[in-house]
Amino acid sequence: MKRRIVLIAVAVAASSIWAPLLWAKPAMGGSQLEILVVTTGNESDAEAIANMSAKDPQYRTDAMALIEGWKSSIASGDSLDLRGLTSPLTAQRQLDQLSALSSRISTQFASVSHTAVTQPPGSATPVESAGTSLIASDTVAVAAVDGGDPNSFAVRGVVGSGRTSWTKIGLIVAAHFCNLQGCQADTDRFSCTVTVNPGAVTSKIGSPLCLYSPNAGNFGNKHYQLWAINRGGVVGSANTGDVSGSGTYYVSSTGSLHGTVLTVAITLWVFLNPFGSYTADGAKTPDATCHTTDNVCVY
């Protein structure tokens, strides 16, 4: 019987934005182990595997077993496509990189408590699933960025024409399987491009393109959480409905930002159908300086 373990890890990963999925799912056909690697942003497969291994002891065991299996195959002369896990330049280079990943998994721990996390569409903050603790206390990698903390997002994109917009903000969630034969192509990939027109009172967020391809049906609701930030303080937030294709959305601050600065941040939340929880990617703009007399802010 084939066993599948799910890995969810995020370029903006943290315990408050994703549920540790700590169970194996049986699949028909053979006795081979597979792991589903879910990455966001520009996160590498190695980072994703290390992060999830720190959160899920069973996943850690299976990932380490896969790494040892890959090393044995490579040492025996087999050629494996491990995608971003290793550089396929030489067998020794692959072995060195796998050993480094194994070492990272063994050391990347800190003591953190967990419960399952889900987020209903439109919820401003992820909430714990009712009465269901998947793990009471676990050793967990300390994440650098929290999807509920937009200040920790990286700046993505470029300044637009006239400096009154910030464009080409990319947000991505993708998933693929790895097994003893290697790592496969993405089964699911949802990517969006976002443009922000900042405003002293209300900002417009244009999403001219969202694409779900390939689409194996593993992703459900996909929505934005929008943030208005003034000098590190969140002064406004909003959630959209399901995003697909294109759309225009707005976020307003609780007070006028005339004569001061504004940062706009976006969280892309993607619901993973098989496991009943969300994962996220996030990005923000740099500060824009807002005019004193109208809604315009400039970068």
Side-chain angles (χ1 to χ4, degrees), residues 2 4 32-37 45 70 80-85 174-188 214:
K2 181 184 291 184
R4 289 183 176 178
Q32 184 165 250
L33 183 68
E34 287 186 328
I35 55 174
L36 179 63
V37 182
D45 287 6
W70 290 331
L80 297 181
D81 181 0
L82 298 177
R83 288 177 42 120
L85 275 177
H176 63 271
F177 283 100
C178 292
N179 56 36
L180 286 171
Q181 276 66 57
C183 295
Q184 302 162 16
D186 287 342
T187 58
D188 296 82

Side-chain angles (χ1 to χ4, degrees), residues 15 18-23 113-119 126-137 275-277:
S15 61
W18 54 283
L21 304 177
L22 308 178
W23 62 86
S113 294
H114 266 308
T115 52
V117 178
T118 60
Q119 184 201 20
V127 296
E128 294 182 0
S129 58
T132 304
S133 177
L134 292 182
I135 188 164
S137 181
F275 310 103
S277 64

Side-chain angles (χ1 to χ4, degrees), residues 44-137:
S44 70
D45 287 6
E47 290 170 332
I49 290 174
N51 288 335
M52 188 58 189
S53 293
K55 295 176 182 292
D56 180 350
Q58 184 58 57
Y59 184 84
R60 179 191 179 206
T61 298
D62 293 315
M64 293 289 275
L66 270 179
I67 291 170
E68 291 307 309
W70 290 331
K71 289 169 66 177
S72 295
S73 294
I74 293 169
S76 298
D78 294 337
S79 177
L80 297 181
D81 181 0
L82 298 177
R83 288 177 42 120
L85 275 177
T86 65
S87 303
L89 299 177
T90 66
Q92 187 58 54
R93 180 60 176 158
Q94 284 189 296
L95 290 172
D96 291 343
Q97 290 175 316
L98 289 173
S99 293
L101 175 58
S102 180
S103 177
R104 177 176 178 178
I105 289 172
S106 296
T107 59
Q108 188 174 323
F109 296 99
S111 182
V112 178
S113 294
H114 266 308
T115 52
V117 178
T118 60
Q119 184 201 20
S123 172
T125 305
V127 296
E128 294 182 0
S129 58
T132 304
S133 177
L134 292 182
I135 188 164
S137 181

Side-chain angles (χ1 to χ4, degrees), residues 133-190:
S133 177
L134 292 182
I135 188 164
S137 181
D138 189 19
T139 52
V140 182
V142 177
V145 182
D146 184 339
D149 176 13
N151 284 298
S152 60
F153 296 172
V155 173
R156 298 181 192 168
V158 298
V159 67
S161 176
R163 309 191 73 83
T164 58
S165 66
W166 197 260
T167 70
K168 298 181 181 179
I169 303 170
L171 298 162
I172 302 170
V173 177
H176 63 271
F177 283 100
C178 292
N179 56 36
L180 286 171
Q181 276 66 57
C183 295
Q184 302 162 16
D186 287 342
T187 58
D188 296 82
R189 182 180 181 88
F190 187 75

